[in-house]
Amino acid sequence: MILVTGAAGFIGFHVAQRLLRDGESVHGLDSLNDYYDIGLKQARLNLLREHQGFTFHLADLVDAKTLARIFEDHKPDHVVNLAAQAGVRYSLANPKAYIDSNVTGFLNLLEACRSGPVKHLVFASSSSVYGLNTAMPFSVHQPTDHPVSLYAATKKANELMAHSHSHVYGLPATGLRLFTAYGPWGRPDMALFHFTRSILEGKPIDVYDQGRMQRDFTYIDDIAEGIVRTIHRPPAPDPAWRGDAPDPASSRAPFGSTISATTPRSNSCASSPSSRTASARRRSSASCPPSPPRCRSRTPTPPTSPATSASPPRPRSKPASAGSSSGTGAITGPDFGESIPPRSPYFLRR
């Protein structure tokens, strides 16, 4: 049985749905918080409930006793942690929510996994951990010690906490540094929804940094496929790892922190404040024009939760054939949300 936390969320829903279609038994866990429209989360759950292999638990990772009871009663073999307080801007308005969910909740999950025992914990880290790093392309071999938001700091903390549990208790764990996702059933606080809503309502689109930013997005099915491929490929200790020349990408513990990759789908000239100007692995050949007349600059504010329906689906491209590489971890190579050359392979670490 596979436990998927954050199952009513954007990525969690698609991962759970993919697993169910593959014939897996899936238990979904979600607190159904009101960060954005709960109706959208309920609608996702209704689709998951159409599968006989799906069981839902209304629970919060912060509730350690309830979480321990779920593990004791159902004994998941694998855990995919996609539950977290998301959003960079919102961490400015409600920092405590990030510590509660992303740190305390994650610790409770680690403790439940080691008591299981769980064969493999796959958890969502974030591209935000790269922070002030400007070296391109991003790499798991680079240090990530300068986060620029509390959200990023909590995701970095997740990687460190998971590694310590891997080292002390032998818990196989893989952290995936996911980049921006888009697609059907997406989060309404994301930029594409704001752009679309403004266009439909004839309103100006808010643009930051005078429209000079570029942002790439990854189609949700590609992200779900990468996560599903990771689940049954737990990392192993890397015998080549050296304490006198430590490589952040591997460990002598069964732990892997990796950048996950597929071909990106779109590039946006208008961008949210959380976007980075130079984070793309390969910049688009088309440069973004200056701010158009109908675009305006705006001071960042925490996202609201407008009710919205799913964005229309778009066909996704299949990743290149899997290859192999040395070391620990599950998926590496180019990242999920940045521009990459079409020839870039989709690596699977074995």
Side-chain angles (χ1 to χ4, degrees):
M1 185 269 282
I2 300 174
L3 174 66
V4 178
T5 70
F10 178 29
I11 298 178
F13 159 70
H14 282 276
V15 170
Q17 189 175 61
R18 166 64 187 273
L19 290 170
L20 290 165
R21 288 173 177 170
D22 288 348
E24 299 279 6
S25 174
V26 176
H27 282 233
L29 182 150
D30 205 292
S31 66
L32 297 180
N33 67 29
D34 60 357
Y35 174 65
Y36 62 84
D37 183 24
I38 297 178
L40 178 57
K41 299 179 181 181
Q42 292 283 12
R44 294 175 183 141
L45 283 177
N46 289 339
L47 290 179
L48 295 178
R49 289 188 175 109
E50 294 178 359
H51 297 266
Q52 292 184 349
F54 182 71
T55 302
F56 179 66
H57 304 277
L58 178 61
D60 194 321
L61 293 183
V62 176
D63 186 349
K65 291 183 179 179
T66 298
L67 188 61
R69 185 168 60 250
I70 292 172
F71 271 73
E72 182 178 352
D73 292 344
H74 302 285
K75 297 177 173 55
D77 298 308
H78 301 82
V79 174
V80 181
N81 181 47
L82 300 170
Q85 179 56 60
V88 174
R89 286 175 290 161
Y90 188 58
S91 65
L92 302 176
N94 191 2
K96 189 176 184 300
Y98 289 77
I99 300 301
D100 290 344
S101 178
N102 300 5
V103 179
T104 303
F106 189 67
L107 174 61
N108 293 339
L109 184 66
L110 287 172
E111 287 293 287
C113 286
R114 77 171 179 91
S115 301
V118 167
K119 296 178 181 178
H120 190 195
L121 167 64
V122 179
F123 65 95
S125 182
S126 170
S127 61
S128 296
V129 301
Y130 289 102
L132 292 177
N133 177 27
T134 59
M136 297 295 139
F138 287 154
S139 167
V140 292
H141 303 286
Q142 298 167 348
T144 54
D145 298 326
H146 299 88
V148 295
S149 69
L150 182 61
Y151 169 72
T154 63
K155 287 300 185 178
K156 170 68 173 180
N158 286 172
E159 294 184 3
L160 299 176
M161 294 163 68
H163 181 271
S164 67
H165 269 64
S166 293
H167 175 74
V168 176
Y169 303 110
L171 172 66
T174 302
L176 301 178
R177 293 174 180 169
L178 307 181
F179 287 69
T180 308
Y182 84 101
W185 301 94
R187 277 171 34 205
D189 62 305
M190 300 297 285
L192 295 183
F193 284 89
H194 288 301
F195 299 162
T196 302
R197 184 164 49 250
S198 295
I199 291 171
L200 293 176
E201 296 175 354
K203 296 179 179 179
I205 295 175
D206 295 329
V207 174
Y208 300 86
D209 195 29
Q210 303 302 314
R212 292 189 294 266
M213 287 187 178
Q214 293 187 353
R215 184 76 169 189
D216 297 284
F217 298 83
T218 312
Y219 193 63
I220 185 60
D221 282 5
D222 294 330
I223 291 180
E225 179 166 340
I227 293 174
V228 169
R229 289 190 183 197
T230 305
I231 294 172
H232 295 292
R233 292 175 171 84
D238 183 1
W241 191 88
R242 294 170 49 193
D244 59 346
D247 179 3
S250 64
S251 174
R252 63 164 58 103
F255 174 82
S257 180
T258 66
I259 303 177
S260 307
T262 52
T263 303
R265 297 313 177 97
S266 116
N267 184 279
S268 171
C269 292
S271 180
S272 68
S274 61
S275 300
R276 291 173 296 275
T277 56
S279 62
R281 184 172 292 270
R282 178 177 62 91
R283 297 299 292 268
S284 170
S285 58
S287 61
C288 288
S291 300
R294 284 195 54 75
C295 293
R296 65 188 179 195
S297 297
R298 185 169 69 90
T299 301
T301 56
T304 56
S305 303
T308 182
S309 58
S311 60
R314 294 180 56 182
R316 70 177 187 86
S317 62
K318 295 182 179 180
S321 299
S324 64
S325 115
S326 61
T328 63
I331 300 181
T332 188
D335 52 67
F336 262 130
E338 303 300 310
S339 293
I340 57 176
R343 65 179 180 276
S344 297
Y346 185 95
F347 287 102
L348 289 179
R349 285 188 169 185
R350 298 174 181 174

